């Protein structure tokens, strides 16, 4: 069964601190992995995309890593801001228009 | 630059009623999708379309219907609403297949539907 597991389910961090979100997947075949950010009451927005040959990808203060051997990805948020409060969704592509979605990591940044 | 527009934003239905969720995109994307997002769960694909006149079922199509008469519009029809259809519905579009490297999904802001 194709699964995408994210941890922690939720976390609270102080503004200015860093945090790391985890995504483990048991998906086959694997095409690529994308992280989306979903603000409350909005649709998800793509942050990063990686395929098996890429192990790091940055987008501003967001850095994603991928270990295709262990089937793990992480999303690191540096110097968090209040606007980083959101759900972060890990999405794995199986190719052929098929996607497996994680449940999301809910991040709350407090001043 | 509107992107993907969904209407309405909120709706309350009684059991057995029907309604259509509207979705339109102005990016000339061929691929369009309907997802539902239940609390604490990942997005589930209801239906998708690879172009005007072509639709196909996703993981959870029961109780829903779609049509794609134009590139821009992809309405989702609920017939005989049931409490199990209470959810947030997202429409999305992409230039190529949403699973491809260079083609992220572009989502609307969702329709929150409650069936009581």
């Amino acid at each position: 069964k194709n699964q995408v597991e994210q941890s922690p389910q939720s976390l609270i961090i102080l503004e200015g601190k860093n945090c790391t979100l985890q995504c483990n997947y048991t998906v086959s075949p694997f095409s690529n992995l994308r992280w989306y950010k979903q603000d409350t009451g909005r649709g998800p927005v793509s942050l990063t995309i990686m395929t098996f040959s890429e192990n790091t990808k940055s987008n501003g203060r967001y850095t994603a890593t991928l270990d295709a051997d262990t089937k793990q990805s992480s999303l690191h948020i540096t110097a968090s801001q209040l606007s980083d409060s959101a759900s972060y969704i890990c999405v794995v592509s199986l190719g052929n228009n098929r996607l497996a979605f994680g449940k999301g990591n809910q991040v709350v940044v407090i001043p | 630059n509107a992107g993907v527009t969904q209407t309405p934003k909120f709706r309350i239905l009684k059991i057995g009623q029907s309604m259509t969720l509207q979705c339109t995109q102005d990016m000339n994307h061929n691929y369009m999708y309907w997802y539902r997002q239940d609390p604490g769960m990942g997005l589930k694909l209801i239906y998708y379309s690879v172009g005007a006149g072509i639709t196909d079922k996703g993981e959870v199509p029961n109780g829903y219907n779609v049509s794609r008469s134009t590139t821009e519009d992809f309405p989702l029809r609920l017939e005989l609403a049931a409490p199990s259809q209470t959810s947030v519905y997202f429409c999305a579009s992409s230039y190529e297949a949403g699973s491809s490297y260079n083609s992220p999904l572009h989502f609307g802001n969702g329709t929150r539907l409650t069936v009581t």
Side-chain angles (χ1 to χ4, degrees):
Chain A
K1 184 177 178 182
N2 294 313
Q3 287 192 316
V4 178
E5 301 288 341
Q6 294 187 240
S7 62
Q9 184 176 351
S10 62
L11 75 161
I12 300 171
I13 58 173
L14 287 173
E15 187 178 11
K17 298 296 186 183
N18 304 335
C19 72
T20 300
L21 313 175
Q22 299 291 342
C23 173
N24 296 336
Y25 59 94
T26 56
V27 164
S28 181
F30 173 83
S31 177
N32 58 70
L33 185 148
R34 195 182 295 273
W35 284 90
Y36 284 85
K37 179 187 180 192
Q38 184 177 19
D39 292 322
T40 301
R42 308 292 290 254
V45 175
S46 178
L47 283 177
T48 65
I49 173 73
M50 291 177 292
T51 188
F52 59 86
S53 61
E54 300 172 294
N55 53 24
T56 302
K57 184 73 69 76
S58 291
N59 178 358
R61 294 179 297 100
Y62 300 102
T63 300
T65 66
L66 174 65
D67 186 334
D69 291 331
T70 62
K71 298 188 176 183
Q72 296 180 325
S73 177
S74 65
L75 182 68
H76 186 77
I77 305 175
T78 302
S80 60
Q81 299 178 358
L82 297 179
S83 59
D84 294 329
S85 294
S87 177
Y88 293 85
I89 303 172
C90 176
V91 183
V92 180
S93 169
L94 294 80
N96 199 25
N97 216 19
R98 296 176 297 160
L99 297 172
F101 287 81
K103 296 178 181 180
N105 306 97
Q106 186 66 46
V107 175
V108 176
V109 182
I110 58 174
Chain B
N1 196 6
V4 178
T5 303
Q6 292 184 238
T7 56
K9 288 183 169 43
F10 304 94
R11 184 71 186 267
I12 298 175
L13 281 182
K14 293 188 187 316
I15 294 171
Q17 287 185 321
S18 301
M19 75 164 295
T20 298
L21 281 66
Q22 301 292 344
C23 175
T24 188
Q25 52 95 5
D26 63 359
M27 296 172 283
N28 202 32
H29 286 170
N30 282 323
Y31 292 79
M32 295 189 75
Y33 313 81
W34 275 105
Y35 289 92
R36 58 178 288 171
Q37 187 176 42
D38 299 321
M41 303 296 290
L43 286 150
K44 298 291 185 188
L45 181 64
I46 304 171
Y47 270 95
Y48 68 99
S49 168
V50 302
I54 306 169
T55 62
D56 209 345
K57 296 178 181 179
E59 303 169 76
V60 290
N62 292 342
Y64 308 95
N65 274 302
V66 294
S67 59
R68 184 92 183 275
S69 57
T70 66
T71 299
E72 295 78 19
D73 299 308
F74 191 41
L76 177 72
R77 178 83 177 160
L78 278 72
E79 305 281 2
L80 299 174
S84 61
Q85 293 178 304
T86 293
S87 188
V88 182
Y89 291 84
F90 287 98
C91 179
S93 71
S94 60
Y95 178 66
E96 299 173 342
S99 56
S100 63
Y101 185 87
N102 291 317
S103 191
L105 296 179
H106 296 261
F107 287 87
N109 286 328
T111 295
R112 184 175 294 275
L113 176 68
T114 301
V115 182
T116 62

